[in-house]
Amino acid sequence: MIAKLSPFQANSPGLRMLRQILRNRSAQIGGILLLLLIFASYAAPLFTDRDPNKTAPPLALKAPSLDHPMGTDGIGRDNFTRFLYGGQLSLRVGLVGITIGALIGITLGLVSGYFGGWLDSLLSWFTDVLMSFPDILLALAIIAILGPGIANAMLAIGISFVPSFMRLTRGSVLSLREMTYIEASRALGSSDFRILSRHILPNSVRTLLVLLTLGIGSSILAGAALNFLGLGAEPPTAEWGAMLNAGMKYVRQAWWLTVFPGAGIFLAVLSINLIGDAISDAVAGTVVSVEKK
Amino acid sequence: MFNYLVRRIFTSILVLFGVSILVFSVIHLVPGDVTMAILGRQKVTAEKVAALREQLGLNDPLYVQYGRYLGNALHGDLGKSIRTNLPVAKSIADQMPSTFVLSMAALLVALSIGGILGMLAALRHGTWLDTLVMGLSVSGLSIPTFWMGLLLILLFSVKLGLFPSISSGNTPAQLFLPALTLGLPEAAVVARMVRASMLDVLGREYITTARAKGLPRATVILKHALRNALIPVVTFLGLQMAYLLGGATIVETMFARQGIGRLAVQSIFNRDYPLVQGVVLVTATIYVLINTLTDVTYVLVNPKIRLK
């Protein structure tokens, strides 16, 4: 999908891409949804004056009401308050996870693709090895080593994203490395570091953007999954995946304990996927328009 | 082609070698003393620690330990579980059929639901139906497996009372909810692929030719279009198997089903390192084998690649 461009709008490819994304209906819906979720969780005290960890056994398993919009859990904590505060942690796990993965993966990819040789072979082999642990299994193996806990879960998710980032960056570097302007920069005496950071990385951003966005979604999902399995946040910490785990026991008595935290994860990931799809369309669009020239 | 095959298989062997090193390292990467981590809250005596070190073979130099680990693994010996003292290989072999049946059932769900929806979306390209299918698909990609499982339990088990929420067995009724939970997110991926592939094929000239010949629409769609549209989807199935193996950890834990996924999670909780190592090694090996097989079949089947 290529947006119609009037001559006045088409100034820079980056700006053009941004406009196209902002005009995309699914990106608009996703963006608003995501902002709402972030606002709801980080401005939680505006919506509730309760303590997410305050127990009140007599109030246990109350159905949603005006006083408790999302009901109460097995030990009488307000589910709405826990939902709001839980969002903070769930979203943070996603963001921290992907940041760790991107930082390590992109660095390794740059080095591997740019310098080539035995280092490239070794790093590529290592990526292949890491990629043979399907889906959540790599994160599980890392948790097995480090032990359960929220910080370890973030690290585990981060490491499991390293191979994808490294592979993509490496591929992009390989195609850019032989470009004339890189050669020119080298002829002018630029250092490897300068070439990598000033020329190659900025030109790879577009390719990486899609993985970065969609990766936040997968990272939130993976974090919630680890928490759901009980390998992340320790009780009584509120986190959507952990809340689902706790709510699962009451699935027959209290539907609100499973429906709401899960909906939180779902909406967060959905909003990011909607934005990611729009970005991926826009990136494909700019590539096409460049090729047309 | 022969060269390619040899190279492909050699790469896989190298990767498997790396996997074995990584899995072997698990026990050595544990921060602090691994025996303490295992014994944990038990009363720790010097004898106990010494016995455990002996059992895990930690007293030998690293390369001796690795050589032994690899040698044993190649002979199908993955050590003994610390908790149950049963051979790890046997525990895994016992749990494997259950996971296999679940994955196959989930694959069936994914292919049938995803295939039909993707085909409908392509045939009704640009209509509300297309939008609906794509909307369902992006939702399916965003939904956490475990949440969907719980929603399915709420609907089919709590509300309608049709299917059990805890299901260990392999009868269709017992498999229904776990397979649906594992298969539906996959169906979302399949639907997208079938739609894209079908749209591509429908635009080809041979489809126009087939229609111009006056063939019935159904024949053109099923015989000419769908068959060709399914090729990329089928090659993609290998990778999907891997996703299913990973997803099984969650689904099996949720439904308290037997299987290697649940075994993995439990062994992590129990700090039963030999068992963790075994499950991870076996799963990764299966994954690498499936991938290699997919690539090799692809080359053998596709003449365009074969000639290069």
Side-chain angles (χ1 to χ4, degrees):
Chain A
M1 202 173 80
I2 304 165
K4 279 180 202 148
L5 298 168
S6 77
F8 304 104
Q9 285 172 323
N11 8 34
S12 82
L15 217 61
R16 208 162 61 196
M17 206 172 92
L18 186 69
R19 271 211 200 93
Q20 193 185 336
I21 294 166
L22 289 177
R23 224 182 283 137
N24 184 307
R25 176 62 55 83
S26 61
Q28 290 166 353
I29 299 175
I32 292 171
L33 197 60
L34 187 63
L35 286 178
L36 277 177
L37 280 170
I38 294 174
F39 184 67
S41 24
Y42 280 88
L46 289 180
F47 303 104
T48 171
D49 42 21
R50 290 194 166 94
D51 174 349
N53 298 328
K54 178 89 166 41
T55 61
L59 292 175
L61 299 181
K62 290 267 181 284
S65 61
L66 275 180
D67 198 26
H68 297 284
M70 292 187 184
T72 60
D73 72 0
I75 44 177
R77 294 175 294 196
D78 179 45
N79 201 37
F80 179 61
T81 309
R82 288 182 70 73
F83 174 83
L84 295 178
Y85 283 96
Q88 292 183 5
L89 193 54
S90 296
L91 297 172
R92 194 158 68 227
V93 171
L95 207 60
V96 173
I98 202 70
T99 310
I100 296 175
L103 280 179
I104 305 178
I106 292 174
T107 313
L108 291 180
L110 284 174
V111 169
S112 177
Y114 185 74
F115 293 106
W118 65 269
L119 188 68
D120 181 36
S121 310
L122 187 72
L123 285 173
S124 297
W125 170 71
F126 190 61
T127 329
D128 284 347
V129 171
L130 285 186
M131 281 195 151
S132 0
F133 300 91
D135 204 52
I136 200 176
L137 200 74
L138 183 59
L140 280 179
I142 297 167
I143 294 268
I145 296 171
L146 300 172
I150 193 75
N152 291 346
M154 291 183 195
L155 191 61
I157 294 165
I159 297 176
S160 56
F161 272 102
V162 167
S164 334
F165 276 105
M166 187 192 139
R167 215 170 245 198
L168 196 63
T169 315
R170 178 178 173 273
S172 169
V173 176
L174 284 181
S175 67
L176 290 171
R177 198 174 58 174
E178 309 304 333
M179 296 276 180
T180 324
Y181 67 89
I182 301 290
E183 214 177 303
S185 177
R186 197 175 295 133
L188 285 171
S190 299
S191 65
D192 289 333
F193 181 76
R194 192 184 160 82
I195 292 175
L196 277 173
S197 61
R198 284 294 178 84
H199 300 299
I200 291 186
L201 186 59
N203 279 300
S204 310
V205 165
R206 194 158 302 180
T207 330
L208 289 168
L209 209 55
V210 179
L211 181 60
L212 268 172
T213 336
L214 293 176
I216 299 176
S218 329
S219 181
I220 292 178
L221 266 186
L226 289 179
N227 278 303
F228 175 75
L229 290 173
L231 297 167
E234 309 252 337
T237 315
E239 192 279 343
W240 289 336
M243 286 166 71
L244 267 181
N245 179 333
M248 194 167 64
K249 278 190 295 244
Y250 305 106
V251 71
R252 291 185 178 275
Q253 302 104 300
W255 56 267
W256 53 92
L257 293 179
T258 44
V259 169
F260 292 117
I265 306 169
F266 170 61
L267 291 177
V269 180
L270 179 68
S271 64
I272 289 165
N273 281 347
L274 287 173
I275 301 172
D277 276 354
I279 294 183
S280 132
D281 278 353
V283 168
T286 51
V287 171
V288 170
S289 57
V290 167
E291 277 170 2
K292 268 184 184 165
K293 286 176 191 170
Chain B
M1 180 182 70
F2 182 72
N3 280 340
Y4 170 81
L5 288 182
V6 170
R7 221 175 335 126
R8 185 67 190 83
I9 290 166
F10 181 68
T11 320
S12 297
I13 293 174
L14 267 188
V15 166
L16 281 175
F17 177 65
V19 167
S20 73
I21 295 180
L22 215 62
V23 169
F24 164 77
S25 317
V26 162
I27 206 160
H28 297 277
L29 289 171
V30 174
D33 188 356
V34 65
T35 50
M36 290 300 168
I38 292 169
L39 294 170
R41 270 160 272 159
Q42 295 178 37
K43 256 193 178 169
V44 182
T45 59
E47 293 89 71
K48 255 189 189 164
V49 173
L52 188 59
R53 288 191 73 84
E54 187 59 38
Q55 190 195 335
L56 296 172
L58 294 176
N59 295 324
D60 299 315
L62 267 185
Y63 65 91
V64 175
Q65 288 184 39
Y66 174 71
R68 189 171 48 217
Y69 184 77
L70 188 64
N72 286 342
L74 287 175
H75 287 95
D77 176 6
L78 296 170
K80 278 183 178 170
S81 155
I82 294 171
R83 302 288 162 196
T84 61
N85 222 16
L86 290 169
V88 168
K90 190 180 178 309
S91 305
I92 295 175
D94 286 347
Q95 306 287 330
M96 200 50 123
S98 177
T99 304
F100 181 73
V101 172
L102 174 64
S103 310
M104 284 301 146
L107 205 60
L108 195 69
V109 169
L111 280 181
S112 47
I113 297 183
I116 290 171
L117 287 182
M119 201 171 78
L120 285 178
L123 292 176
R124 295 274 178 275
H125 182 51
T127 65
W128 63 271
L129 190 66
D130 189 17
T131 318
L132 178 73
V133 170
M134 288 317 281
L136 281 176
S137 168
V138 73
S139 306
L141 291 174
S142 314
I143 204 165
T145 325
F146 41 95
W147 189 49
M148 196 174 56
L150 285 169
L151 292 183
L152 290 172
I153 290 179
L154 274 176
L155 177 66
F156 286 106
S157 183
V158 177
K159 202 101 190 151
L160 301 174
L162 287 177
F163 299 101
S165 63
I166 290 178
S167 45
S168 255
N170 288 329
T171 66
Q174 287 166 322
L175 262 175
F176 182 79
L177 285 180
L180 213 57
T181 307
L182 192 56
L184 279 181
E186 239 7 55
V189 183
V190 173
R192 282 185 157 215
M193 289 201 68
V194 171
R195 176 180 174 272
S197 170
M198 198 67 180
L199 281 178
D200 178 40
V201 170
L202 284 175
R204 296 286 173 85
E205 277 172 358
Y206 64 85
I207 298 294
T208 320
T209 312
R211 279 204 182 140
K213 278 197 300 188
L215 289 177
R217 195 172 145 80
T219 316
V220 176
I221 290 167
L222 293 176
K223 270 199 146 176
H224 294 82
L226 188 62
R227 274 185 148 186
N228 286 302
L230 281 180
I231 294 174
V233 181
V234 170
T235 50
F236 179 69
L237 282 184
L239 289 173
Q240 290 315 295
M241 278 302 293
Y243 159 82
L244 294 173
L245 283 175
T249 50
I250 289 164
V251 176
E252 286 168 1
T253 308
M254 262 189 80
F255 289 95
R257 247 186 92 80
Q258 290 208 318
I260 55 168
R262 185 153 168 252
L263 191 68
V265 176
Q266 281 173 339
S267 59
I268 292 177
F269 275 122
N270 290 334
R271 302 217 150 221
D272 195 339
Y273 291 105
L275 202 50
V276 175
Q277 288 175 307
V279 175
V280 174
L281 185 69
V282 169
T283 320
T285 308
I286 294 176
Y287 182 47
V288 174
L289 290 181
I290 292 179
N291 266 343
T292 315
L293 222 62
T294 314
D295 280 3
V296 169
T297 336
Y298 197 62
V299 173
L300 292 177
V301 172
N302 192 333
K304 273 190 210 158
I305 299 181
R306 200 173 7 178
L307 290 173
K308 275 182 191 167

